[in-house]
Amino acid sequence: MVTGCGGSDSNSSSDTTTKDIQISGSIDQSISGLALGNNNEDSKDNLHDYVLAVLDYKNIPSEENKPRFVMLHMDKNGNPIVENINYPVEWSGHPKGNDLESICKLDDNYYLAAESGYYYDESAGDYLYGRLFLIHRNASLDPDGLKSGLTVEKVYNIASNPENFANINFEGLACAPADDGSEKYNILLGDRESGVLYWDSIDSNDFLDQSDETLHLEPVGKISAPKEWKTNRNISDLFYSPQDHHLYGAASFDSKTSAHRSTLYRSSKAFNLEDTDFMKTLSPSSKINIDKIIDFNEDKIEGITGYGLEKGMFYGSDNDNNNNTFGYKLHSHITK
C-alpha cells in the first residue's frame, strides 16, 4: 500500500455531513481514467469509497510490466491512498492493455476499459490494439472484489476499418444500461482533440461468449470547449450520471513547455445515454453544449467518476510526471 504524500486543500474537511467538501492530495501514479469501485453507490460516506483507476502504460520494455489498474480511496484525514490489486490481471491470452485511457462501470460485476486507439506497428505492418476490454471483478464483496483480482472476459475491437480511426484518440468512455427492455449497455466514446462522440451498444447476453467482437461506432455529435477556456483537448474523460441524466467531461491543455490545466464541465441539457431512442436522434452534426464546473490551474485531469447531482465526484490527473492529483468534490462544488 502506498500513501499519497499530499494533504487536503485549505477548505477541505473529512466531515461528509457538510455540502462543502473539496479534498485532494498528491499521488505518484498518473491516472488516465476512473470508475466507481464500491458496490453500494448510495453509501452515506462517499468520500471514503473505493475507486478503480486505469494507468496508461504502454507495451514497451520499460513499462510493459507496470500495473494497468490500481485502487484509490481517501483515508479519514483526507489523504489519498493508492492500493495495488493483490493478484495480476488475467488477460486471458490477449496482449496486455496498451495505453488504457478510460474506464466505466457497467454493473457490480463488470467494467469496460478502452485503449486510446489504434497503434500502427511498422515491424508488423499492421494496426495493433484499438480495443475495449470487458473486465470481470473476481468477487462481488467490496473492496475485496477488486483486491482479489480482475479478469478480461471479452475483447471488443474498436472498428473493422482501423485506417479510418488511426488518428483518433479515445480518452473518454461513458456507459449506461439501455432502458429499452433489452439487456444491452449503451456506450459512448469521445475523441480528445476533435471532441466527436461515437455510440454503440453491447449485449450482456454475449458476455460469456469469449470470442472477440467488433464495434460499429456511429458519430452522435461533438463537444467543443469554449475558446476562453484555453484548452487544446476537448475530451480528456467522460462520465455519465444516470441520477441526473447529464454527461460530464474534462477538457485539458496539454503542454510540453508550461503547466497543464483543465476544466470540468457538464452538458447544458439532459443527455440520456440510457435512452436508445434519444441516442438515435443524434447525428454527426449534433452540438452538445456544455457548462463549466470548475477549473484546475496545474493539473491535466484525465479521470472523473461520481454519484450524480446529489452526491459527489472523484477526479484524477495525468500530469506526465510523478506529481499527480486525486480528489473529491461534493455537490455544491459541482453545481456552482
Side-chain angles (χ1 to χ4, degrees), residues 12-69:
S12 301
S13 169
S14 59
D15 176 11
T16 54
T17 62
T18 176
K19 285 280 187 176
D20 196 31
I21 296 176
Q22 179 183 351
I23 289 180
S24 65
S26 296
I27 61 173
D28 292 338
Q29 287 78 2
S30 295
I31 296 171
S32 57
L34 296 174
L36 295 174
N38 282 37
N39 287 349
N40 183 9
E41 296 183 10
D42 290 324
S43 168
K44 295 180 180 179
D45 191 13
N46 300 330
L47 172 62
H48 304 298
D49 285 345
Y50 276 78
V51 176
L52 181 63
V54 288
L55 313 177
D56 65 345
Y57 291 120
K58 316 297 191 294
N59 286 345
I60 58 178
S62 62
E63 298 181 353
E64 191 169 15
N65 293 323
K66 292 186 176 182
R68 301 306 194 257
F69 301 88

Side-chain angles (χ1 to χ4, degrees), residues 30-319:
S30 295
I31 296 171
S32 57
L34 296 174
L36 295 174
N38 282 37
N39 287 349
N40 183 9
E41 296 183 10
D42 290 324
S43 168
K44 295 180 180 179
D45 191 13
N46 300 330
L47 172 62
H48 304 298
D49 285 345
Y50 276 78
V51 176
L52 181 63
V54 288
L55 313 177
D56 65 345
Y57 291 120
K58 316 297 191 294
N59 286 345
I60 58 178
S62 62
E63 298 181 353
E64 191 169 15
N65 293 323
K66 292 186 176 182
R68 301 306 194 257
F69 301 88
V70 294
M71 295 183 296
L72 297 164
H73 70 101
M74 292 285 186
D75 68 15
K76 63 181 180 180
N77 296 316
N79 295 310
I81 306 296
V82 181
E83 294 189 40
N84 292 323
I85 295 172
N86 291 347
Y87 300 93
V89 174
E90 175 54 60
W91 293 94
S92 304
H94 300 285
K96 183 180 289 187
N98 177 75
D99 195 14
L100 295 178
E101 285 288 351
S102 52
I103 187 169
C104 69
K105 183 178 181 180
L106 298 177
D107 57 29
D108 287 346
N109 297 309
Y110 289 101
Y111 293 86
L112 271 182
E115 292 176 322
S116 64
Y118 284 101
Y119 168 76
Y120 187 77
D121 188 304
E122 293 185 359
S123 61
D126 196 8
Y127 290 95
L128 304 180
Y129 311 124
R131 301 168 293 175
L132 274 72
F133 297 100
L134 178 69
I135 297 168
H136 183 259
R137 61 196 299 165
N138 292 344
S140 60
L141 295 177
D142 189 61
D144 293 335
L146 294 177
K147 289 182 179 178
S148 62
L150 302 169
T151 299
V152 173
E153 294 282 354
K154 191 178 184 71
V155 168
Y156 298 88
N157 297 306
I158 289 177
S160 58
N161 50 341
E163 62 277 3
N164 293 343
F165 288 82
N167 296 317
I168 292 178
N169 292 279
F170 288 119
E171 292 214 355
L173 172 64
C175 55
D179 65 359
D180 57 3
S182 69
E183 296 185 46
K184 294 183 178 181
Y185 290 90
N186 288 333
I187 61 172
L188 193 70
L189 285 162
D191 176 36
R192 73 183 185 191
E193 293 189 8
S194 70
V196 174
L197 300 171
Y198 295 83
W199 165 61
D200 196 8
S201 296
I202 58 174
D203 194 333
S204 63
N205 290 311
D206 298 330
F207 284 0
L208 297 181
D209 178 0
Q210 296 181 359
S211 57
D212 293 3
E213 291 188 29
T214 300
L215 300 178
H216 301 281
L217 294 171
E218 299 180 22
V220 287
K222 183 177 180 179
I223 291 175
S224 297
K227 291 183 179 179
E228 57 266 27
W229 292 5
K230 297 180 180 179
T231 55
N232 57 10
R233 294 181 176 179
N234 289 300
I235 298 173
S236 290
D237 200 15
L238 294 172
F239 166 72
Y240 178 70
S241 168
Q243 290 91 346
D244 68 0
H245 308 286
H246 278 76
L247 184 65
Y248 292 82
S252 64
F253 177 72
D254 181 41
S255 174
K256 304 300 182 185
T257 59
S258 62
H260 299 308
R261 60 177 176 268
S262 304
T263 297
L264 298 190
Y265 56 79
R266 188 180 77 163
S267 58
S268 302
K269 298 180 180 179
F271 187 99
N272 298 299
L273 181 57
E274 74 278 11
D275 187 340
T276 301
D277 289 336
F278 168 83
M279 296 303 298
K280 289 179 179 178
T281 67
L282 300 175
S283 70
S285 61
S286 297
K287 181 181 179 181
I288 313 302
N289 293 319
I290 55 176
D291 298 322
K292 179 189 291 189
I293 294 173
I294 194 168
D295 290 315
F296 291 82
N297 295 325
E298 297 180 352
D299 290 298
K300 184 174 60 169
I301 302 298
E302 290 204 359
I304 56 173
T305 191
Y307 296 84
L309 187 62
E310 296 180 355
K311 302 292 184 178
M313 178 174 288
F314 294 97
Y315 57 87
S317 73
D318 179 358
N319 294 337

